[in-house]
């Protein structure tokens, strides 16, 4: 008897658990719905101007919609489109792993028969059929953000993207200006990268390493690089024994906060350390985390980050990080629309670097900067 | 004299257990090795960081020890821990609820997932590996859905951050270690000296025999997974306290650190034996390796190879013991 009551109770608990689970999935089902609804009227809009053959309509398929970064791209697109008198429909899957939903969105975009399409593909291969279909209908495609890597020649007219190597160079110049006086034999500069596989991350690291080495050498000091093999071999810096200044590159074996923070702990306590650069939000966050116990950032050690998010922004505000690089998603959206507009008018378009910005405690509240920062809240 | 030595050794072995003694020796040896090899390892701040990053692993490992003792496993703890931390943080940062509510929600999510895992394993009798592999994926997706794919940053001044590390003046103290030791003590008493604890061990050694002797195996089998879930909830809190920003969809692979720790600490993969104290020792073997290896200039991939070898040795000892028994 007792057993039965217990199992009944347990069953109830289980059903409750299941219901909780279902509740979650309902939310999930509800989440993409607004996207679908925004898409539908846009398609109608698209059909109408086509009939008159005058108004311009652009379909833009991003890698996601939820992240504030994409919202900023969208804002840039919308304001520019309004300025140029075009209509746009900006869509994106729920997460950056939703390859199939993105393909469906791209197919819908092609079917809407727009003047031109903007695309940041999650998987070039998966998008190929739709790209060919667009080509056959003479709909020009312009890539943005990471673009459409590996697409066959001619399929994509041009890309509006951040040049990550240049972004790394910018970080090196800014950090160098802050450590110039501290440079001496035995100095160490740390570089933290999340991985050695992603093209954009590698370029952010290499841009920093190459430029920093160049600037240090211009001061009459010898410089070497050590640490992760991929970065060491791909950089332009020659590995030399007993150089004055060492660039130490740390890459964790996996994207694991503890591993990255341990790297930062080691770097922060390395004798001679004068600066550390974290080349994305993950690395910069863990640099800040590790410093929680050490307290050297903003004092003996100059910290620099990349991207934004609440942790980095707070650290930039209180000076633990001297500053960070942000991409310019709003400008990216604007450039993308300009390129689509040019392509629609039959002009030739070329790749555009949408640029990046160095932000620090002084300029963080500048509207030109903070419109590009996610996790940003105005200072109290 | 020799006889006396042997006697005292036997006493130690029976009190702490053979493998634990070996592991304790390994910890001392590793600690000494890194202290000699690296000035930085010796510093208080490094030890403090090492402890900071050990609490969430310790809580996960204590929990998963229960699942392992029943002869099962729980792979959902890594992504689960992150998911619960994200959900709790979501209620606080996006819905404006008090930190305490978020704290409770984090733990509650763990308990609920523990119930669900227990339901799958104990009642539906699904293989634990597959059942919890599924819930691992569910947890990973759920966290991302709740926040819409973006990361969560708990308020920097959330009170529970101070229960793991308190600052008195300039100095910081690893208070979290006290909670970990407390949890180990309580769960050791539970496992060794209470009926439910002994039933859980019995289920792991021979479920059928336990059932035939009149024990409600379904109930106690489930309890093991609920305990595991609850501790994963605690781990979610500790993780949120340690890392300011939690990225949605992360956490895969962290469960392996905890499972490794339990196995290094002498918990048998075949079920039926294991101690919470051993698990704690295993956690610190992992922590010392993770902290020390980068400090002696070893590249990241070599660190993984060494950790892998340590695990292999631990499993080998387990297998040898299994054959003996």
């Amino acid at each position: 008897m007792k057993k039965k009551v217990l199992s009944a109770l347990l069953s109830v608990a289980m059903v409750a658990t299941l219901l909780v689970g279902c509740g979650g999935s309902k939310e999930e089902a509800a989440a993409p719905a607004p996207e679908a609804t925004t898409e539908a009227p846009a398609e109608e809009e698209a059909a109408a101007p086509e009939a008159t053959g005058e108004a311009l309509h652009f379909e833009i398929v991003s890698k996601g919609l939820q992240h504030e970064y994409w919202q900023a791209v969208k804002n840039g697109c919308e304001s520019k489109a309004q300025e140029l008198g075009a209509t746009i429909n900006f869509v994106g899957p729920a997460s950056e792993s939703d390859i199939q939903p993105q393909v469906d969105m791209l197919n819908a975009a092609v079917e809407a028969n727009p003047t031109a399409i903007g695309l940041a593909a999650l998987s070039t291969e998966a998008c190929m059929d739709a790209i060919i279909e667009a080509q056959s209908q003479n709909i020009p495609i312009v890539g943005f953000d990471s673009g459409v890597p590996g697409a066959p020649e001619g399929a994509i007219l041009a890309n509006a993207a951040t040049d990550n190597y240049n972004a790394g160079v910018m970080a090196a110049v800014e950090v160098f200006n802050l450590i110039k006086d501290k440079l001496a034999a035995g100095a160490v500069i740390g570089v933290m990268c999340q991985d050695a596989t992603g093209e954009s991350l590698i370029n952010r690291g290499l841009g920093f390493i190459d430029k920093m080495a160049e600037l240090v050498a211009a001061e009459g000091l010898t410089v070497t690089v050590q640490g992760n093999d991929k970065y060491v071999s791909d950089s332009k810096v020659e590995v030399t024994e007993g150089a004055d200044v060492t660039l130490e590159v740390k890459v964790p074996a996996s994207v694991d906060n503890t591993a990255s923070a341990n790297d930062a702990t080691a770097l922060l306590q390395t004798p001679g350390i004068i600066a550390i650069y974290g080349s994305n939000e993950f690395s910069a966050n863990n640099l800040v985390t590790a410093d929680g116990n050490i307290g050297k950032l903003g004092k003996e050690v100059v910290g620099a980050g990349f991207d934004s998010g609440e942790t980095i922004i707070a650290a930039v505000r209180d000076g633990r990080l001297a500053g960070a690089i942000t991409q310019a998603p709003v400008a990216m959206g604007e450039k993308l629309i300009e390129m689509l507009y040019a392509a629609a008018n039959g002009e030739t378009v070329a790749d555009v670097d949408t640029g990046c910005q160095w932000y620090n405690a002084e300029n963080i509240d500048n509207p030109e900067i903070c419109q590009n920062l996610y996790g940003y809240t105005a200072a109290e | 004299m020799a006889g006396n030595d042997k006697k005292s050794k036997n006493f130690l072995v029976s009190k702490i257990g053979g493998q634990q003694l070996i592991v304790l020796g390994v910890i001392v040896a590793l600690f000494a090795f890194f202290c000699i090899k690296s000035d930085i390892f010796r510093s208080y701040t490094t030890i403090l960081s090492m402890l900071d990053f050990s609490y969430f692993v310790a809580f996960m490992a204590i929990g998963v020890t229960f699942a392992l003792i029943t002869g099962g496993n729980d792979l959902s703890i890594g992504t689960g821990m992150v998911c619960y931390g994200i959900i709790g943080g979501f209620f606080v940062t996006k819905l404006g609820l008090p930190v305490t509510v978020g704290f409770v929600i984090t733990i509650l999510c763990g308990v609920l997932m523990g119930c669900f895992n227990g339901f799958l394993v104990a009642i539906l009798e699904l293989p634990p590996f597959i059942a919890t592999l599924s819930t691992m994926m569910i947890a990973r997706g759920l966290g991302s859905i709740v926040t819409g794919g973006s990361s969560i940053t708990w308020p920097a001044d959330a009170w529970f951050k101070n229960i793991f590390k308190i600052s008195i003046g300039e100095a910081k103290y690893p208070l979290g270690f006290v909670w970990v030791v407390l949890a180990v003590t309580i769960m050791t008493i539970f496992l060794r000296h209470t009926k439910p604890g002994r039933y859980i061990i019995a289920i792991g050694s021979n479920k059928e025999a336990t059932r035939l002797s009149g024990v409600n195996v379904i109930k106690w089998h489930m309890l093991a997974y609920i305990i595991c879930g609850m501790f994963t909830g605690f781990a979610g809190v500790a993780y949120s306290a340690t890392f300011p920003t939690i990225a949605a969809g992360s956490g895969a692979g962290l469960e392996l650190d905890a499972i490794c720790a339990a196995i290094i600490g002498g918990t048998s993969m075949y079920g039926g034996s294991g101690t919470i104290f051993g698990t704690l020792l295993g956690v610190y073997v992992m922590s010392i390796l993770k902290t020390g290896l980068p400090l002696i200039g070893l590249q990241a991939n070599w660190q993984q190879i060494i950790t892998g070898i340590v695990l292999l040795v631990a499993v080998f000892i387990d297998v040898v013991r299994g054959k003996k028994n």
Side-chain angles (χ1 to χ4, degrees), chain B residues 5-122:
Chain B
D5 269 0
K6 206 175 170 193
K7 207 172 163 191
S8 69
K9 193 179 158 216
N10 281 343
F11 174 77
L12 265 178
V13 169
S14 68
K15 271 291 164 201
I16 314 184
Q19 186 152 351
Q20 275 93 296
L21 216 54
I22 298 170
V23 178
L24 200 60
V26 169
I27 289 184
V28 173
L30 281 175
F31 199 81
F33 172 77
F34 287 122
C35 279
I36 293 164
K37 288 290 259 185
S38 162
D39 296 343
I40 301 172
F41 188 82
R42 287 199 292 269
S43 73
Y44 178 67
T45 48
T46 304
I47 305 296
L48 192 61
S49 296
M50 186 179 84
L51 291 172
D52 277 352
F53 304 142
S54 72
Y55 306 144
F56 67 88
V57 183
F59 285 128
M60 273 196 294
I62 292 171
V64 82
T65 302
F66 281 85
L68 289 168
I69 284 177
T70 64
N73 206 335
D74 190 346
L75 299 176
S76 72
I77 53 175
T79 58
M81 170 186 76
V82 169
C83 169
Y84 317 144
I86 283 178
I87 293 176
F90 175 81
F91 277 92
V92 175
T93 57
K94 297 286 173 348
L95 304 183
L97 294 175
V99 168
T100 311
V101 176
F103 174 88
V104 172
I105 287 174
T106 303
I107 295 169
L108 216 59
C109 285
V111 174
L112 277 175
M113 186 60 102
C115 291
F116 188 56
N117 279 331
F119 168 73
L120 296 177
V121 173

Side-chain angles (χ1 to χ4, degrees), chain B residues 115-307:
Chain B
C115 291
F116 188 56
N117 279 331
F119 168 73
L120 296 177
V121 173
I123 296 178
L124 297 187
E125 296 189 333
L126 298 181
F129 184 87
I130 304 298
T132 60
L133 184 66
S134 322
T135 49
M136 166 193 181
M137 295 174 188
I138 291 171
R140 193 175 187 177
L142 205 63
S144 302
I145 287 164
V146 168
T147 66
S150 56
S151 48
I152 282 286
T153 305
W154 281 78
D157 55 357
W159 60 266
F160 67 82
K161 297 198 174 192
N162 298 323
I163 62 172
F164 291 98
K165 187 162 62 188
I166 51 164
S167 308
I168 301 174
E170 281 291 290
K172 296 186 171 77
Y173 299 97
L175 194 56
F177 191 66
V178 175
W179 309 127
V180 169
V181 169
L182 194 68
V184 168
T185 313
I186 292 171
M187 294 325 282
T188 300
I189 293 170
F190 172 80
L191 189 63
R192 293 281 149 207
H193 304 290
T194 68
K195 262 192 190 167
R198 289 181 163 272
Y199 289 153
I200 286 172
I201 298 176
I203 289 168
S205 1
N206 191 334
K207 192 173 178 182
E208 188 55 19
T210 313
R211 190 184 68 80
L212 290 174
S213 61
V215 174
N216 185 342
V217 287
I218 292 180
K219 180 164 115 185
W220 305 117
H221 200 176
M222 266 197 73
L223 183 70
Y225 281 88
I226 295 172
I227 290 172
C228 182
M230 181 178 74
F231 272 92
T232 310
F234 294 155
V237 170
Y239 194 77
S240 309
T242 308
F243 297 106
T245 299
I246 317 176
S250 65
L254 296 181
E255 69 282 354
L256 299 179
D257 286 353
I259 294 168
C260 279
I263 291 167
I264 290 172
T267 301
S268 171
M269 287 295 282
Y270 307 108
S273 83
T275 63
I276 310 296
F277 179 64
T279 296
L280 182 70
L281 294 178
V283 168
Y284 284 101
V285 169
M286 300 285 293
S287 291
I288 291 173
L289 284 175
K290 262 199 171 181
T291 315
L293 292 174
L295 287 172
I296 59 168
L298 208 61
Q299 284 302 307
N301 298 321
W302 283 102
Q303 298 163 24
Q304 294 214 315
I305 289 176
I306 290 181
T307 314

Side-chain angles (χ1 to χ4, degrees), chain A residues 14 66 256-257 269 293 311, chain B residues 46 119 148 165 239 245 290:
Chain A
M14 288 313 99
Q66 312 277 9
D256 166 12
N257 282 327
Q269 298 183 89
N293 288 334
T311 304
Chain B
T46 304
F119 168 73
K165 187 162 62 188
Y239 194 77
T245 299
K290 262 199 171 181

Side-chain angles (χ1 to χ4, degrees), chain A residues 36-376:
Chain A
T37 49
T38 53
E39 208 174 325
E43 273 173 38
E44 287 159 28
E45 274 171 41
E50 273 304 311
T52 62
E54 279 185 6
L56 296 172
H57 177 74
F58 304 130
E59 286 282 335
I60 294 152
V61 182
S62 73
K63 282 186 182 176
L65 256 197
Q66 312 277 9
H67 199 285
E68 289 170 60
Y69 175 82
W70 297 111
Q71 290 294 338
V73 176
K74 189 181 175 191
N75 291 343
C77 286
E78 278 170 350
S79 64
K80 197 69 184 177
Q82 204 171 7
E83 194 186 312
L84 296 174
T87 55
I88 64 161
N89 178 35
F90 195 105
V91 296
S95 85
E96 296 198 9
S97 50
D98 289 334
I99 292 175
Q100 192 52 43
Q102 197 199 30
V103 172
D104 295 340
M105 287 174 177
L106 182 59
N107 281 325
V110 175
E111 271 168 39
N113 194 22
T115 329
I117 293 174
L119 174 63
L122 288 170
S123 158
T124 303
E125 214 166 280
C127 289
M128 237 15 251
D129 286 347
I131 292 173
I132 291 167
E133 179 63 26
Q135 269 184 305
S136 72
Q137 295 184 31
N138 288 323
I139 303 172
I141 301 178
V142 173
F144 69 104
D145 187 56
S146 55
V148 193
E153 213 159 301
I156 306 299
L157 293 182
N159 280 305
T162 308
D163 184 327
N164 282 292
Y165 188 88
N166 282 345
V169 167
M170 182 189 258
V173 171
E174 295 289 346
V175 171
F176 178 79
N177 287 334
L178 296 168
I179 58 170
K180 209 164 29 179
D181 301 335
K182 286 198 249 172
L183 277 174
V188 177
I189 298 164
V191 180
M192 294 171 61
C193 299
Q194 177 183 302
D195 59 53
T197 48
E199 197 68 33
S200 54
L201 277 188
I202 291 175
N203 283 328
R204 286 177 186 188
L206 290 178
F208 182 90
I209 294 165
D210 292 348
K211 188 66 185 177
M212 185 57 87
E214 184 192 319
L215 293 168
V216 170
E219 293 284 300
L221 293 162
T222 53
V223 59
T224 189
V225 60
Q226 66 180 40
N228 181 273
D229 294 336
K230 170 78 181 164
Y231 286 88
V232 170
S233 62
D234 285 8
S235 76
K236 294 176 189 155
V237 185
E238 224 171 286
V239 178
T240 42
E241 288 285 324
D244 297 327
V245 178
T246 307
L247 297 171
E248 175 84 49
V249 190
K250 294 275 190 187
V251 179
S254 62
V255 186
D256 166 12
N257 282 327
T258 306
S260 177
N262 278 334
D263 281 345
T265 303
L267 276 177
L268 280 164
Q269 298 183 89
T270 302
I273 189 84
I274 52 174
I276 303 174
Y277 161 64
S279 71
N280 72 344
E281 189 185 356
F282 167 83
S283 299
N285 275 346
N286 285 309
L287 173 60
V288 172
T289 302
D291 187 62
N293 288 334
I294 299 167
K296 277 191 182 173
L297 280 187
K299 293 170 191 148
E300 298 106 285
V301 180
V302 170
F306 205 115
D307 293 334
S308 42
E310 286 170 53
T311 304
I312 296 180
I313 288 172
V316 167
R317 276 198 197 284
D318 65 22
R320 278 173 293 160
L321 292 179
I325 299 280
T326 177
Q327 301 185 67
V330 178
M332 184 182 288
E334 291 171 355
K335 290 264 166 56
L336 172 64
I337 296 296
E338 280 175 9
M339 288 163 81
L340 291 171
Y341 188 81
N345 289 329
E347 293 165 29
T348 49
V349 286
D351 285 358
V352 172
D353 175 10
T354 53
C356 53
Q357 297 157 322
W358 169 261
Y359 66 97
N360 55 25
E362 274 94 61
N363 71 3
I364 189 168
D365 297 309
N366 183 331
E368 282 294 306
I369 300 277
C370 68
Q371 65 175 359
N372 289 324
L373 303 180
Y374 51 90
Y376 172 86

